[in-house]
Amino acid sequence: MKQLLIAALLTFGTMGTMAQPKSWTADNGNGTFTNPLFYDEFSDPDVIRVGDDYYLAGTTMHAVPGLVILHSKDLVNWEFASYCFDRFDFLEDKFALKNHQEIYGQGIWAPCIRYANGQFYVFSNINGKGLQCYTAKDIKGPWTHHNMQGNIYDLGVLFDDDGKIYAIHKYGEVHCTELKPDMSGPVEGSDRVIIPEGNGIGEGHHMYKIDGMYYLISTDYSPNGRTLCSRSKNIWGPYETRVIQADETYGYHGVGRTTVPRGTKYRIGEDGTKFGVAPASPDATGCDNAHQGGIVQAKDGTWWALFMQDFHSIGRTVCLMPMTWEDGWPMVGLKGNLGRAPRTWFKPGVQSVAVPQQQTERRAPYDRSDDFNGKTLKPVWQWNHNPDDKLWSLKGGKLRIQSQPSEQLMWARNTLTQRVIGPKSIATVELSTKGMKDGDVCGLGNINVPCSWIGIVKAGKTLTLRCFEQMTNDTASVPVDLVNGKIFLRMIGDYDNNQAQYAYSTDGETFQTIGRMMPLTYQLITFQGSRHALFAYNIKGKQGGYAEFDNFTVDEPCADRSQNIPYGKTIRIINKATGRPAIALKHGMLHDTHAGDNSELTKFKVIDRGQGKVALQCADGRYVKVYGDGLPGDVRFTNSLVPVDQLPTTDDVNSTEFLWQDFLDHDFMLLSLKNHKYMGKSPTTGSSYSWDFTGPDPARRNGAVLMWEEVK
């Protein structure tokens, strides 16, 4: 299977086509969306609505430009709006990756975005520099930087009705500190503990005042990730707390995290010399639950959470989760299944009844491909630390990076990066080697820990293609004869399975793999997932020549999901936990049968009911229906189905319609619109199918995740 995947991806989107690739968007085009909102990293999301517009701010750590803000009209389709700053305006070497000083996994993180007094505010922390604030009248800037200092981080900010401004911060023992209106710093002597240690409160605070009540949304990771809400009638407390979301993994395991002692993590040379301790093998830890993020009320009055989730080697990405108010608490999820949230649901303003299909503009936040013909880099690009702006340029439709002394990629200045995108994608770039000098190393890499790359090394007048993988300290070298000094480099990523393969071509058409299919990780050293990197450096300790990059493309073979739901097809439904197909018993219940059963009663036609909803019709004409509360034995059959153009808002219709939850690669779940739970069958009992599963487990083996195969 691995070789088939590689072959398919190698032939996908060759440089010769130059067609603009289609990128992942959560919008399904039928009034529904499917998480994640973006299939690339967006950490520590915070969201606000100003009139008809939504704004989402996220962490950028050590990369610049920094503090990204996206804009949306519907909470589902997002576009780039702004960065709060172009470069870190601190002069220390560590912000510029100079003299072996760095801020990997530090920099600026966990922003809070607010709108008050006719302007936007973005608060965040910079390690060693304290609290920072950026203000602007327009979301696109220009932004004014206020260095507020003070040990305040991972904060939520509230502009209260009386004009006072409060910052809620710290882990475990929650503090409230008043801020000065001019953003010059905290109000001296105002800091107080509002929730003492030992109440199960974590970090990532988001404070709101709703109908006169103060609500604090936070996340705790011990012993596992969950989201909490604390509420009080007074900003200073006392607060009562309850869990509002837990165990929502969307059927994904957190990727193993790489661990390595700080100070040794980058000290491995591509020539095989070990300058320090090699990265350890990935461990099995990792928070795979949705956690930490903001909440917002949509224009139609509904409430939504935008929480992040550790999403494999991609890093942390954002999920959009409907909320339900119950007894004065903002619970994540739907009535009947609170604390969990669907992977696919109706967009804000679209009800779960038949309405005309909404024609919305589906868009991704970024154009990831770049021919470098513009006067500026596209906003998808970020530099690894502050670059030396005198040593790179956009010239003649190419990106030129001059090499600077470095022993390896993680120390190379002026490395240009962008986030990888899943679930699968292929990044390809054209490299011109004509400007390289002795000792130069130039190419396409993965900025991660462990890092890796494919590129050209010049020794004297000899050019060698090399692939390096830091996890094993392995190097593969191939002599190449380049036509016009050009080579095409490619990274083939299968990010849901945490692996990638490098490839190269001398003509841009036929690609050959090099090195192994590498395991990928997410780790808390850089606090980022995998990143494509365009780089040039010199391993002989001197100012070298330069590399020129052109026609960077990102192709996404899984972005088009229009055929993922088998509308109109006859399928067999296989339980992923047991490998057994479902069967419509004559007795009237949905059960399972042995793996080789191909009888008529194992065949179901998928009927399109609009907006991602389906009905299931057995080959003998009966329709699957949920009776009662959906307990085992209450998934039975009916011989009638209301015509789609006559759908009333009745419980009976909801009992025969199910919202398809696409998990890609023929994995799916069915969500009942009657009780907001999922169909499944326990792999450990003899009970028939029920409709009372709250969601999938990370391994997709609890009986709620199904697979479909077409019956011809």
Side-chain angles (χ1 to χ4, degrees):
M1 289 298 295
K2 184 182 80 169
Q3 295 304 320
L4 289 175
L5 169 66
I6 294 173
L9 296 182
L10 279 172
T11 57
F12 187 92
T14 59
M15 295 294 293
T17 63
M18 291 305 294
Q20 193 72 299
K22 183 178 180 181
S23 191
W24 174 279
T25 171
D27 195 331
N28 295 317
N30 59 5
T32 70
F33 66 91
T34 295
N35 283 309
L37 281 185
F38 329 114
Y39 228 113
D40 67 324
E41 186 170 63
F42 196 100
S43 300
D44 304 321
D46 192 31
V47 63
I48 58 171
R49 178 171 66 88
V50 180
D52 293 337
D53 298 280
Y54 303 93
Y55 301 101
L56 184 68
T59 284
T60 50
M61 290 294 178
H62 49 275
V64 293
L67 281 190
V68 65
I69 301 173
L70 304 181
H71 166 252
S72 175
K73 286 288 189 181
D74 62 3
L75 280 176
V76 174
N77 294 282
W78 295 83
E79 61 185 353
F80 173 79
S82 181
Y83 286 109
C84 288
F85 60 91
D86 188 52
R87 301 288 188 268
F88 289 109
D89 51 7
F90 301 104
L91 300 179
E92 291 96 324
D93 286 352
K94 63 182 181 180
F95 289 98
L97 204 60
K98 295 171 64 176
N99 298 319
H100 277 163
Q101 302 296 310
E102 43 83 11
I103 54 168
Y104 280 120
Q106 300 179 60
I108 195 159
W109 45 275
C112 172
I113 184 170
R114 292 293 180 262
Y115 183 80
N117 307 315
Q119 66 179 348
F120 293 94
Y121 297 77
V122 180
F123 299 87
S124 196
N125 170 77
I126 294 180
N127 292 75
K129 299 297 180 182
L131 179 61
Q132 312 297 311
C133 179
Y134 299 84
T135 58
K137 296 290 186 181
D138 188 299
I139 197 66
K140 296 183 181 299
W143 293 87
T144 300
H145 181 197
H146 311 264
N147 188 350
M148 302 179 69
Q149 304 179 353
N151 187 27
I152 296 176
Y153 59 90
D154 232 1
L155 76 161
V157 175
L158 176 73
F159 287 77
D160 212 341
D161 302 333
D162 59 2
K164 292 186 176 181
I165 309 168
Y166 300 101
I168 315 300
H169 57 104
K170 289 201 166 37
Y171 184 94
E173 183 180 82
V174 182
H175 288 235
C176 179
T177 303
E178 188 177 349
L179 303 179
K180 295 178 180 178
D182 62 359
M183 299 298 117
S184 60
V187 174
E188 292 80 1
S190 66
D191 184 82
R192 288 169 53 183
V193 175
I194 60 173
I195 303 178
E197 185 79 37
N199 284 272
I201 307 300
E203 60 184 8
H205 303 299
H206 299 257
M207 177 62 86
Y208 306 91
K209 191 174 186 180
I210 304 169
D211 295 333
M213 183 75 75
Y214 295 89
Y215 290 90
L216 176 63
I217 309 295
S218 61
T219 293
D220 193 27
Y221 305 97
S222 178
N224 70 326
R226 63 196 182 282
T227 306
L228 306 102
C229 179
S230 306
R231 70 180 186 183
S232 175
K233 294 181 180 179
N234 191 300
I235 187 71
W236 304 108
Y239 285 84
E240 55 179 332
T241 300
R242 69 179 295 181
V243 174
I244 62 171
Q245 183 272 331
D247 292 334
E248 188 52 77
T249 67
Y250 289 112
Y252 287 90
H253 273 299
V255 65
R257 291 177 178 165
T258 300
T259 57
V260 63
R262 191 167 184 85
T264 65
K265 58 186 177 294
Y266 318 121
R267 304 289 291 166
I268 299 176
E270 286 87 347
D271 60 357
T273 303
K274 293 189 177 182
F275 295 94
V277 180
S281 298
D283 62 31
T285 63
C287 181
D288 49 5
N289 295 342
H291 58 289
Q292 191 166 333
I295 68 174
V296 67
Q297 186 177 26
K299 293 177 288 187
D300 65 350
T302 56
W303 282 84
W304 300 80
L306 287 91
F307 289 170
M308 69 178 180
Q309 182 181 2
D310 293 14
F311 225 73
H312 304 301
S313 52
I314 290 168
R316 291 170 165 173
T317 188
V318 180
C319 296
L320 178 63
M321 312 170 85
M323 305 188 78
T324 300
W325 283 85
E326 183 178 79
D327 298 329
W329 293 96
M331 301 295 297
V332 170
L334 304 165
K335 185 175 178 59
N337 193 7
L338 299 178
R340 305 291 295 268
R343 180 177 169 101
T344 296
W345 189 240
F346 302 96
K347 294 170 57 177
V350 179
Q351 302 300 314
S352 58
V353 296
V355 296
Q357 182 170 322
Q358 296 194 351
Q359 300 299 322
T360 57
E361 182 182 356
R362 303 167 66 192
R363 69 160 63 95
Y366 302 102
D367 179 3
R368 302 176 188 279
S369 299
D370 199 342
D371 58 12
F372 302 114
N373 288 335
K375 295 182 179 179
T376 59
L377 292 168
K378 292 185 177 180
V380 70
W381 293 108
Q382 290 178 291
W383 296 99
N384 179 18
H385 293 67
N386 279 355
D388 184 336
D389 288 319
K390 298 186 298 293
L391 298 180
W392 74 273
S393 63
L394 292 173
K395 186 176 182 179
K398 300 182 188 300
L399 167 68
R400 176 179 291 190
I401 300 177
Q402 293 185 240
S403 64
Q404 301 177 62
S406 175
E407 67 229 16
Q408 72 115 304
L409 175 59
M410 296 297 285
W411 291 111
R413 297 195 65 196
N414 284 19
T415 295
L416 188 64
T417 75
Q418 67 167 265
R419 298 166 299 280
V420 302
I421 185 167
K424 297 180 177 70
S425 60
I426 308 97
T428 308
V429 70
E430 177 184 329
L431 168 66
S432 173
T433 65
K434 291 182 178 180
M436 293 178 65
K437 293 183 178 180
D438 180 42
D440 282 353
V441 182
C442 310
L444 170 68
N446 175 25
I447 289 286
N448 203 336
V449 177
C451 69
S452 63
W453 56 263
I454 182 175
I456 295 293
V457 178
K458 187 166 187 177
K461 295 183 179 180
T462 301
L463 297 178
T464 302
L465 175 75
R466 183 168 294 169
C467 180
F468 172 76
E469 183 186 351
Q470 189 184 35
M471 179 177 286
T472 56
N473 207 36
D474 285 343
T475 301
S477 297
V478 176
V480 288
D481 184 15
L482 303 182
V483 178
N484 297 322
K486 291 183 180 180
I487 191 167
F488 301 83
L489 306 174
R490 174 171 286 183
M491 181 173 172
I492 305 162
D494 180 9
Y495 301 107
D496 267 8
N497 292 305
N498 304 310
Q499 56 186 4
Q501 174 91 59
Y502 285 117
Y504 69 96
S505 171
T506 56
D507 61 8
E509 298 292 337
T510 303
F511 283 80
Q512 300 291 328
T513 61
I514 184 172
R516 66 168 179 160
M517 179 69 83
M518 302 172 294
L520 300 175
T521 70
Y522 173 70
Q523 35 66 44
L524 304 185
I525 300 168
T526 67
F527 257 105
Q528 290 182 336
S530 298
R531 283 188 167 231
H532 299 306
L534 304 181
F535 65 87
Y537 61 91
N538 189 281
I539 58 176
K540 294 192 174 181
K542 58 186 180 182
Q543 201 77 37
Y546 60 85
E548 285 190 331
F549 299 93
D550 200 2
N551 298 323
F552 182 89
T553 63
V554 179
D555 295 310
E556 301 176 45
C558 300
D560 182 359
R561 306 191 307 279
S562 60
Q563 303 302 311
N564 286 18
I565 304 179
Y567 293 124
K569 295 180 179 179
T570 299
I571 64 171
R572 297 170 80 234
I573 298 173
I574 314 297
N575 194 294
K576 199 169 178 68
T578 65
R580 297 174 181 174
I583 186 169
L585 297 178
K586 289 292 187 181
H587 187 55
M589 292 177 292
L590 189 67
H591 201 51
D592 65 0
T593 184
H594 60 85
D597 190 346
N598 293 312
S599 63
E600 287 298 297
L601 296 185
T602 66
K603 301 174 183 177
F604 299 87
K605 186 175 182 180
V606 180
I607 299 175
D608 184 1
R609 301 290 281 174
Q611 294 183 296
K613 295 174 288 186
V614 301
L616 296 178
Q617 184 181 30
C618 183
D620 64 4
R622 295 177 294 161
Y623 296 91
V624 175
K625 182 176 179 179
V626 183
Y627 288 81
D629 293 323
L631 298 177
D634 265 350
V635 180
R636 289 178 277 162
F637 299 92
T638 178
N639 289 316
S640 63
L641 189 67
V642 178
V644 71
D645 60 350
Q646 299 177 21
L647 288 176
T649 56
T650 65
D651 180 72
D652 186 64
V653 170
N654 286 339
S655 67
T656 58
E657 288 189 339
F658 318 111
L659 190 62
W660 189 284
Q661 308 285 300
D662 179 25
F663 280 78
L664 309 178
D665 299 320
H666 287 214
D667 282 7
F668 72 103
M669 295 199 309
L670 292 174
L671 176 65
S672 170
L673 296 177
K674 179 179 180 180
N675 66 2
H676 297 139
K677 293 184 179 178
Y678 303 93
M679 186 179 86
K681 185 185 186 306
S682 170
T684 60
T685 72
S687 297
S688 60
Y689 271 87
S690 67
W691 225 295
D692 64 349
F693 283 73
T694 58
D697 68 333
R700 305 186 188 180
R701 291 293 188 272
N702 67 335
V705 180
L706 313 170
M707 302 179 291
W708 65 270
E709 61 181 28
E710 186 176 1
V711 178
K712 297 294 187 180

